[in-house]
Amino acid sequence: MQKTENLESGKYYHIYNRGINGENLFKENRNHEYFLMLYTKHIDPIAETLAWCLLKNHFHLLVRIKTFEEILESHKEYENKKIIPIHQSFGNLFNAYTKAINKGYNRHGALFERPFKRKLINNQSYLCSVIKYIHYNHVNHGFCEHPIEYPWSSYLTCVSEKQTKLKREKVISLFENLDNLKSVHNKRENFTLLEEFLNL
């Protein structure tokens, strides 16, 4: 059995998971919206988000876990009364979402596969590859022809000027500038090796 990666402060992780037995996690638009609301509540205090996408039966996130000092500062902003372990923040997100889906659709039991999957990202080239992979996930699954056409990913936020908590400037800087980010995302790419590494 593969060892589960611990989430360490100050490090970048690709976090992903799917519905148990291939079940859809997001059945309608309001489900995506509710998941993102819960994500803001549970994850924003403990992590910075660089990329995300939500598909019907799975999701991908790219986060940098905050340092302890940053988490302390975040909890002041979010007015949370106590600091909980980083791993538990993700568990609380998935549990809260599962309860809502179970109640709303008259189902019972687990919704997500456990444990949720995570991969440490330890260099900039890998970081850029994962960002593009996440933004292209819905293209690769045949939902659209280009990342800009899909509403439930961070690509639209990256190329817009609307206010966001996404680390947009960091993402753009990784690709040097906005024009280069767009140019890189205009080129189709084969992600077979990355998907084999992720065991998808």
Side-chain angles (χ1 to χ4, degrees):
M1 187 174 179
Q2 189 175 2
K3 184 182 177 183
T4 301
E5 185 95 49
N6 288 325
L7 298 174
E8 296 182 31
S9 296
K11 295 187 177 180
Y12 292 90
Y13 292 92
H14 178 188
I15 292 174
Y16 54 103
N17 208 354
R18 57 168 60 95
I20 196 164
N21 298 321
E23 183 171 342
N24 284 346
L25 301 171
F26 309 104
K27 303 172 190 298
E28 49 190 317
N29 286 345
R30 65 190 179 102
N31 300 154
H32 300 85
E33 293 165 357
Y34 190 69
F35 183 89
L36 293 174
M37 184 275 290
L38 290 174
Y39 184 88
T40 297
K41 176 182 177 182
H42 292 287
I43 306 306
D44 278 7
I46 58 98
E48 296 175 342
T49 304
L50 282 79
W52 60 269
C53 74
L54 309 179
L55 282 87
K56 285 184 177 181
N57 68 353
H58 68 284
F59 67 83
H60 292 272
L61 310 168
L62 175 53
V63 300
R64 173 188 166 272
I65 304 299
K66 294 178 179 180
T67 64
F68 183 70
E69 291 75 19
E70 289 170 325
I71 291 173
L72 279 177
E73 196 62 34
S74 288
H75 278 68
K76 292 177 188 176
E77 177 186 347
Y78 288 90
E79 298 180 347
N80 289 348
K81 293 181 179 178
K82 64 176 183 177
I83 294 176
I84 60 174
I86 293 164
H87 187 277
Q88 190 179 328
S89 295
F90 283 95
N92 289 348
L93 162 65
F94 303 140
N95 288 337
Y97 185 73
T98 298
K99 286 179 182 177
I101 292 297
N102 284 354
K103 183 177 179 181
Y105 296 92
N106 194 29
R107 70 179 299 281
H108 304 278
L111 178 64
F112 296 91
E113 288 188 352
R114 293 180 183 174
F116 66 88
K117 299 176 178 63
R118 73 297 303 260
K119 294 285 186 182
L120 175 67
I121 300 173
N122 52 17
N123 65 70
Q124 184 169 316
S125 176
Y126 183 18
L127 194 61
C128 290
S129 293
V130 173
I131 290 170
K132 183 174 179 182
Y133 171 75
I134 289 175
H135 287 158
Y136 254 86
N137 205 248
H138 31 281
V139 177
N140 292 338
H141 284 279
F143 289 103
C144 56
E145 291 296 317
H146 189 278
I148 204 165
E149 299 169 13
Y150 190 73
W152 302 111
S153 96
S154 53
Y155 183 72
L156 282 172
T157 303
C158 284
V159 299
S160 78
E161 295 181 354
K162 67 180 181 180
Q163 190 173 1
T164 179
K165 290 186 177 179
L166 185 82
K167 291 298 171 183
R168 177 168 54 209
E169 296 306 317
K170 170 69 174 177
V171 173
I172 291 172
S173 71
L174 287 167
F175 291 88
E176 296 183 12
N177 55 57
L178 182 57
D179 286 341
N180 198 46
L181 181 145
K182 290 178 179 178
S183 176
V184 168
H185 281 77
N186 284 335
K187 299 169 186 171
R188 296 291 288 261
E189 190 174 334
N190 188 322
F191 292 102
T192 303
L193 289 177
L194 181 55
E195 290 197 328
E196 287 176 358
F197 173 69
L198 297 174
N199 194 26
L200 293 172

